[in-house]
Amino acid sequence: MIDFDFAADHLLEDEIALLRPLKEDDVAHLLPFANQSEIWRFSTQKGDTEEALKKYLLLAIEARNAKKEYPYVIVDKRTNAYAGCTRFYDVKLNQHNLSLGYTWYGKQFHGTGLNKHCKYLLFDFAFNSGFERVEFAADTTNTRSIAAMKSVGCTEEGILRSHVIRLDGSRRDTIVLSMLKQEWEHSLRKKLNSKL
């Protein structure tokens, strides 16, 4: 069993990215992204209005309090601008596994390298905290997200068919990818660091 402290403020940062635990008043900083419909296209929970975004963020904070998730707000330190959100979820302390997802960035931060910096910090933190496996899941039609996961070194494991109900009521296939601690320590940390 990993002794992960959900109550502690685990701050992650390098020269480009700052990830700090999500707080309720962050909604004010993240509201400008509610109207970027592309962010919410593949989401299973909408945040595309002020009310929906508040609910989205509050549910994440409640899940942290319940010791199920650990959400972060993302700041681009180059401009000191709020850029998006991400979180650890489906945290299984007894299995030393967790998932990384609910990740989104405002469109102005796409292609800026910010995601790679964030993923490096998150992987390093998870594996240094004793987790052995970080898992990702995405809609099989979300090509941008899948490409991003593969670009940071994740291995595709398979497709879960008719796995999740989309917000429009249709059923999606979910692609599962992962990274293992020994892969990170053996080569992927160095490989991803070289891309930063």
Side-chain angles (χ1 to χ4, degrees):
M1 178 81 76
I2 295 174
D3 185 23
F4 179 78
D5 188 354
F6 284 87
D9 285 336
H10 301 292
L11 200 70
L12 312 179
E13 69 179 313
D14 63 11
E15 70 280 5
I16 301 294
L18 168 65
L19 294 99
R20 67 158 175 75
L22 182 69
K23 298 182 297 190
E24 201 168 337
D25 60 5
D26 286 325
V27 69
H29 303 292
L30 298 172
L31 262 180
F33 302 118
N35 64 5
Q36 293 186 14
S37 58
E38 185 63 25
I39 289 175
W40 311 107
R41 180 175 168 204
F42 298 102
S43 181
T44 55
Q45 183 189 348
K46 286 287 187 191
D48 57 352
T49 65
E50 181 174 354
E51 188 175 327
L53 186 61
K54 282 181 180 176
K55 182 179 179 184
Y56 178 96
L57 298 173
L58 190 59
L59 285 172
I61 292 166
E62 288 173 355
R64 178 185 174 192
N65 293 336
K67 300 183 178 182
K68 294 179 179 177
E69 301 183 356
Y70 198 94
Y72 282 100
V73 66
I74 301 166
V75 176
D76 187 329
K77 290 174 66 175
R78 294 168 290 193
T79 56
N80 203 33
Y82 285 80
C85 280
T86 191
R87 73 181 87 157
F88 294 121
Y89 70 101
D90 197 18
V91 180
K92 297 174 182 166
L93 299 177
N94 61 330
Q95 296 295 325
H96 301 190
N97 295 340
L98 51 69
S99 295
L100 177 54
Y102 294 91
T103 303
W104 54 265
Y105 298 91
K107 60 187 175 185
Q108 62 268 45
F109 299 97
H110 292 184
T112 65
L114 181 61
N115 182 55
K116 281 187 171 59
H117 282 266
C118 290
K119 289 299 187 290
Y120 183 93
L121 291 166
L122 290 159
F123 284 136
D124 217 40
F125 175 70
F127 293 132
N128 286 335
S129 297
F131 291 96
E132 299 286 336
R133 170 186 165 87
V134 176
E135 182 175 302
F136 295 83
D139 191 314
T140 53
T141 62
N142 189 348
T143 53
R144 175 189 288 276
S145 182
I146 295 166
M149 290 185 278
K150 289 182 176 179
S151 76
V152 297
C154 293
T155 297
E156 181 178 339
E157 295 187 334
I159 306 291
L160 303 175
R161 299 175 303 151
S162 191
H163 179 237
V164 175
I165 299 174
R166 295 185 179 103
L167 289 170
D168 66 5
S170 64
R171 296 194 66 88
R172 83 171 200 196
D173 292 344
T174 299
I175 186 170
V176 177
L177 304 97
S178 71
M179 186 182 290
L180 306 180
K181 183 176 183 177
Q182 64 263 31
E183 295 169 339
W184 178 249
E185 293 177 342
H186 180 258
S187 63
L188 293 179
R189 178 198 279 130
K190 186 176 181 180
K191 186 176 179 182
L192 181 53
N193 189 57
S194 72
K195 295 181 178 181
L196 300 181

